[in-house]
């Protein structure tokens, strides 16, 4: 009951997702109880004219607001679009339909909206229900929205065909408008800004290689091979972004223009903060292809992290991956434990550990089981038909 604001998205993916996974893996009730207590604290964030939640909520008062920097008071696609997995599990475990209804309402609202070029802008105003500025990204601000469309389908034991179709349509538009090949033959995913394509890719975008591979099976028009290949090309590009640095660790963002490819240009994009996305893609590619290069690339990353990021108190991010004498940022991000090390561990483990037909990882790498609901209906779902 602290008089403090928290991010609805971060609390959901890190804490609620983590507690739910701990419950499913251990069977200990305390984790479920805590997840539900925390989820109740987030529900007031949905009290907006549209039902699109605020980015932040005060734990004591329940008052919500959006980030000051977000386009004209908008909520962010990746934030309100990355609640589905956890909230469906909350309804499944508690029988309370509120969680399921809240996330399905978001989906229904998005389905009715016009999308410029079939793309989803990163900003949506929760008061007016209108898009903010037309900026589309598969990296920060957009990324996990697409991931959760695919994973909603996988988590439903492939019965949630609406989620799958929405994913397929979104990916088709992304491929048409954002995915390009560089002069040097590297496939990259740019960002759509104010009517043109920015030829820049963020480290966060590198998760998409794994997503394309994960979504390959079940894609329309026999395109499974195409999407697996696309996943491999993204993995290769992201590995190049690591390989072209002094430390063999990837920068936060990298460009593809004027002769420079897969390298950071601006000083404020040369840092590495122990991010997992590239390794996440290596792991998915390994699971689907068993090509040994993915373990080799993962091992390169292990050695670089151990050599350049290990400090007496744990691991730290570094400020410049192109400097042979890097300075630390003195932060060990929680995703380093939740994701980076977990994906590395899984990369070198057998496929029997958390098999993908039984488990779906939330965007913070917390494993949640596939719900084999058969002909059981989730409470609240019948009202959505």
């Amino acid at each position: 009951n602290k008089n403090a604001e928290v991010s609805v998205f971060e609390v959901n993916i890190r804490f609620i997702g983590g507690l739910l996974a701990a419950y499913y893996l251990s069977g200990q009730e305390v984790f479920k109880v805590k997840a539900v207590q925390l989820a109740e604290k987030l529900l007031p964030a949905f009290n907006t004219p549209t039902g699109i939640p605020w980015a932040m909520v005060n734990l004591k008062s329940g008052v919500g607001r959006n980030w000051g920097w977000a386009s004209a008071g908008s909520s962010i696609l990746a934030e309100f679009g990355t609640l589905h997995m956890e909230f469906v599990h909350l309804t499944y475990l508690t029988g309370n339909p509120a969680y399921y209804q809240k996330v399905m309402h978001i989906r229904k609202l998005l389905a009715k909206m016009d999308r410029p070029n079939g793309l989803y802008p990163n900003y949506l105003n929760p008061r007016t229900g209108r898009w903010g500025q037309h900026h589309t990204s598969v990296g920060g601000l957009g990324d996990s929205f697409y991931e959760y469309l695919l994973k909603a389908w996988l988590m439903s034991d492939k019965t949630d065909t609406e989620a799958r179709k929405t994913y397929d349509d979104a990916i088709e538009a992304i491929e048409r408008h954002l995915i390009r090949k560089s002069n040097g033959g590297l496939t990259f995913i740019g960002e759509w800004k104010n009517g043109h394509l920015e030829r820049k890719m963020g480290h966060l975008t590198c998760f998409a290689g794994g997503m394309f591979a994960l979504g390959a099976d079940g894609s329309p028009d026999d395109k499974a091979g195409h999407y697996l290949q696309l996943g491999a090309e993204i993995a290769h590009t992201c590995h190049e972004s690591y390989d072209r640095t002094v430390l063999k660790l990837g920068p936060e963002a990298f460009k593809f223009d004027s002769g420079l490819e897969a390298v950071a240009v601006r000083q404020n994009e040369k840092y590495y903060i122990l991010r997992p996305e590239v390794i996440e893609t290596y792991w998915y590619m390994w699971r689907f292809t068993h090509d040994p290069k993915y373990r080799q690339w993962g091992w390169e990353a292990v050695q670089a992290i151990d050599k350049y990021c290990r400090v007496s108190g744990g691991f730290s991010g570094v400020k410049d991956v192109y400097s042979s004498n890097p300075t630390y940022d003195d932060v060990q991000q929680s995703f380093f434990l939740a994701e980076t090390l977990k994906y590395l561990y899984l990369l070198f483990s057998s496929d029997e550990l958390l098999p993908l037909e039984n488990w779906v990882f939330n965007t913070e790498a917390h494993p949640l089981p596939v719900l084999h609901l058969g002909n059981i209906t989730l409470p609240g779902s019948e009202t959505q038909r």
Side-chain angles (χ1 to χ4, degrees), residues 13 26 41 62 91 101 106 120 140 160 175 213 245 253 258 281 285 288 290 294 318 320 354 371 379:
I13 66 171
S26 72
K41 290 287 186 184
T91 285
Q101 287 169 341
I106 293 171
Y120 289 85
D160 185 352
E175 200 169 358
T245 70
S258 57
T281 279
M285 292 309 302
F288 290 115
H290 291 117
Y294 297 113
V318 290
D320 186 347
L354 298 170
L371 294 173

Side-chain angles (χ1 to χ4, degrees), residues 229-287:
Q229 174 64 25
L230 185 56
E233 290 175 17
I234 298 295
H236 172 67
T237 297
C238 292
H239 176 256
E240 286 296 312
S241 81
Y242 275 51
D243 208 42
R244 295 177 186 195
T245 70
V246 172
L247 305 188
K248 304 300 178 191
L249 290 169
E252 181 68 2
F254 41 96
K255 282 257 169 53
F256 294 90
D257 53 19
S258 57
L260 286 171
E261 302 206 350
V263 293
V265 177
R266 291 158 55 176
Q267 192 56 45
N268 65 353
E269 294 174 340
K270 293 181 177 179
Y271 61 87
Y272 173 70
I273 53 171
L274 307 171
R275 286 206 191 274
E277 289 77 19
V278 174
I279 289 152
E280 175 183 355
T281 279
Y282 294 167
W283 174 60
Y284 280 112
M285 292 309 302
W286 165 257
R287 277 279 172 107

Side-chain angles (χ1 to χ4, degrees), residues 164 175 209 212-233 285 288-289:
R164 177 76 217 206
E175 200 169 358
F212 293 142
L214 185 62
D217 192 27
S219 52
D221 312 323
D222 297 326
K223 285 177 89 169
H226 167 74
Y227 284 113
L228 198 58
Q229 174 64 25
L230 185 56
E233 290 175 17
M285 292 309 302
F288 290 115
T289 69

Side-chain angles (χ1 to χ4, degrees), residues 1-7 11 41-42 56-63 65:
N1 293 315
K2 285 264 167 62
N3 180 22
E5 284 184 313
V6 297
S7 159
V11 165
K41 290 287 186 184
L42 298 187
M56 283 173 287
V57 69
N58 184 299
L59 291 171
K60 188 176 184 125
S61 66
V63 172
R65 71 180 178 97

Side-chain angles (χ1 to χ4, degrees), residues 92-133:
Y92 172 71
L93 290 173
T94 63
N96 176 359
Y99 305 107
Y100 182 85
Q101 287 169 341
K102 296 247 183 287
V103 290
M104 290 307 287
H105 174 78
I106 293 171
R107 184 190 291 182
K108 295 276 182 277
L109 187 115
L110 287 173
K112 290 198 292 248
M113 294 187 62
D114 268 345
R115 294 189 298 284
N117 289 327
L119 297 168
Y120 289 85
N122 290 335
Y123 300 105
L124 180 61
N125 190 302
R127 285 202 174 92
T128 64
R130 287 201 281 273
W131 297 119
Q133 67 188 74

Side-chain angles (χ1 to χ4, degrees), residues 13 29 232 305:
I13 66 171
E29 285 293 307
I305 289 167

